[in-house]
Amino acid sequence: METSVDLGFLEPCEEWLLANKFFRSKVGGKPAWLELKNIPTPKDLLCDECGEPCVFLCQVYAPLEEQERCFHRMLYLFVCLKASCYQPNQNKNIKVLRSQLPRKNAFYDFNPPNEDQRSEAVASPVPLCAVCGCRGPQQCSKCKKVNYCGVVHQRIDWKQSHKAACGTATGDGSQCSTILFPQFEIVTEPEEIESTKKLSEEENVKKQMEEYDKLVKEGKIGELSEVSESEMDTYAEQVEDKHFDKFKKRVAFDPDQVLRYDRKGNPLWLSPVEPTEIPNCELCGSARVFEFQIMPQLLNSLKNENIDWGTLAVFTCEQSCSTLDNSYAKEYVYKQDVISTDPPKALEETSS
């Protein structure tokens, strides 16, 4: 049975094919910015807990065919790398940005590019940080060849490589930063689950759990087993309703999923601690609707023990309104965890 959800999975991809001109969803590396003149400022991407720069996590290409201004449309997530900033059911350390362009625009060809021929990204006219790929208004004071978003990433690059390479041909900031996440393409396909409509609820639950246990024993559950067996069982003991069981059973059909996309649908919650309301769009006042969620399975591929979440649910402007200068719009993310059943703080303290 096919659902309304598109599932995203990680696949290796040649780096040049993840450039902005190919409009692909991806995880890790540097952001492939869509609109290239009004790239967010460093201030837009600071963690609200510690004040340090957030790092690019992923981007999801999500055009809206019914709106010409959204012919190209990309959503970006950024996260803080400090473990202490990950508080239960709080999102102060996560940022979500939206960018969109009509088909005819100042940056990209009207027709799709040739994916059989290697080519470079469309360059931004504004300088970018050598470490994180975000807007870089500051320069190395010695060689003036490398830009940074601020002193935090400048210090990281100085210790990592630039101190030895400053002023040389190799000191142009082209080296890969160690703070970036491993890079993958996100490929999507429709979710399909086995139809169990004719079964009673009790039989349905029993059948799905038997299928899940069988996959675990056969080693076919993939990366999810690394999350679920120790951590998920502990979590399940803390949740007193059926949320977590429902989450685990649904995910068992496609255990490697890292993304669930279902604009105007509903998130697959894993805890009863849900946001009581979603703040309206700060630009036009329209309601925000659910668009996609990032799953906990992604954590296995990021190779970073400091970051953690149950699921990241992203809500965007229902109208997908445009800014006057096509700059990046801020959207809302809710980080749901299952390690605490404390109610979330006031929305004004958690909106991104």
Side-chain angles (χ1 to χ4, degrees):
M1 179 180 68
E2 190 170 304
T3 73
S4 62
V5 180
D6 285 328
L7 301 181
F9 303 89
L10 298 184
E11 282 194 3
C13 184
E14 291 190 58
E15 186 173 354
W16 68 272
L17 282 169
L18 298 177
N20 53 8
K21 66 190 296 182
F22 295 110
F23 312 109
R24 296 196 179 193
S25 301
K26 69 162 191 156
V27 166
K30 295 178 181 179
W33 298 111
L34 182 62
E35 203 282 343
L36 297 173
K37 278 187 179 180
N38 298 287
I39 291 173
T41 67
K43 184 179 179 181
D44 294 327
L45 295 173
L46 295 180
C47 171
D48 291 337
E49 285 284 348
C50 68
E52 294 196 2
C54 290
V55 171
F56 173 70
L57 174 66
C58 66
Q59 61 189 64
V60 177
Y61 186 59
L64 301 179
E65 296 180 358
E66 69 274 14
Q67 299 184 33
E68 168 57 22
R69 66 176 183 271
C70 301
F71 184 87
H72 295 300
R73 183 171 174 271
M74 193 78 78
L75 295 158
Y76 300 81
L77 266 73
F78 296 80
V79 299
C80 182
L81 297 180
K82 282 192 172 183
S84 58
C85 293
Y86 284 81
Q87 303 299 321
N89 303 310
Q90 299 299 315
N91 69 354
K92 290 184 178 181
N93 58 337
I94 305 170
K95 302 292 178 180
V96 183
L97 300 173
R98 170 173 53 86
S99 179
Q100 57 200 37
L101 292 171
R103 184 172 185 179
K104 186 176 182 180
N105 60 77
F107 309 108
Y108 307 102
D109 292 338
F110 187 82
N111 295 317
N114 182 2
E115 296 190 4
D116 295 326
Q117 182 177 350
R118 188 183 184 95
S119 58
E120 300 297 326
V122 179
S124 170
V126 301
L128 302 179
C129 177
V131 174
C132 67
C134 299
R135 183 183 282 265
Q138 297 185 15
Q139 275 187 334
C140 172
S141 59
K142 295 184 68 176
C143 69
K144 301 190 183 304
K145 291 183 178 180
V146 185
N147 286 77
Y148 301 102
C149 60
V151 294
V152 174
H153 285 179
Q154 184 172 8
R155 288 169 183 162
I156 289 174
D157 193 40
W158 184 256
K159 293 178 181 179
Q160 177 180 310
S161 62
H162 194 63
K163 181 178 181 180
C166 186
T168 68
T170 59
D172 59 359
S174 59
Q175 297 82 4
C176 181
S177 170
T178 57
I179 71 169
L180 300 179
F181 297 119
Q183 189 166 230
F184 300 91
E185 182 181 7
I186 302 176
V187 296
T188 59
E189 59 184 53
E191 181 187 41
E192 293 186 8
I193 58 176
E194 184 177 341
S195 178
T196 54
K197 289 182 179 179
K198 295 182 180 180
L199 299 178
S200 68
E201 182 178 356
E202 183 178 352
E203 290 172 329
N204 186 15
V205 170
K206 182 179 178 181
K207 185 176 187 301
Q208 289 186 330
M209 290 309 297
E210 286 175 350
E211 291 173 351
Y212 178 83
D213 292 337
K214 181 181 177 182
L215 288 172
V216 172
K217 291 177 181 178
E218 293 177 352
K220 296 179 180 179
I221 201 68
E223 299 293 344
L224 182 59
S225 62
E226 298 176 20
V227 178
S228 64
E229 289 306 298
S230 60
E231 296 177 2
M232 286 190 174
D233 287 345
T234 301
Y235 293 160
E237 294 176 2
Q238 299 174 1
V239 180
E240 296 180 354
D241 62 12
K242 298 179 180 179
H243 280 78
F244 195 78
D245 280 342
K246 178 182 177 182
F247 180 90
K248 190 163 63 171
K249 292 195 291 268
R250 184 70 172 266
V251 171
F253 288 106
D254 294 282
D256 294 326
Q257 61 185 272
V258 299
L259 169 78
R260 296 179 64 84
Y261 186 92
D262 189 17
R263 181 171 166 81
K264 296 187 179 181
N266 295 295
L268 179 61
W269 295 121
L270 46 71
S271 160
V273 186
E274 302 175 16
T276 55
E277 64 175 316
I278 304 300
N280 291 342
C281 175
E282 299 170 5
L283 296 173
C284 70
S286 297
R288 282 190 171 105
V289 295
F290 171 71
E291 183 140 352
F292 68 88
Q293 68 189 102
I294 300 299
M295 304 294 281
Q297 291 90 308
L298 179 58
L299 294 166
N300 294 303
S301 300
L302 298 181
K303 304 185 185 305
N304 190 309
E305 296 180 355
N306 290 334
I307 59 177
D308 188 32
W309 59 73
T311 189
L312 304 178
V314 173
F315 298 81
T316 60
C317 175
E318 185 174 24
Q319 303 302 319
S320 198
C321 65
S322 296
T323 59
L324 293 177
D325 56 0
N326 277 333
S327 58
Y328 287 67
K330 295 180 181 179
E331 296 291 12
Y332 181 82
V333 58
Y334 182 76
K335 182 175 73 69
Q336 189 189 57
D337 297 289
V338 283
I339 59 174
S340 171
T341 54
D342 294 333
K345 295 180 182 179
L347 285 174
E348 61 266 25
E349 296 180 3
T350 62
S351 62
S352 62

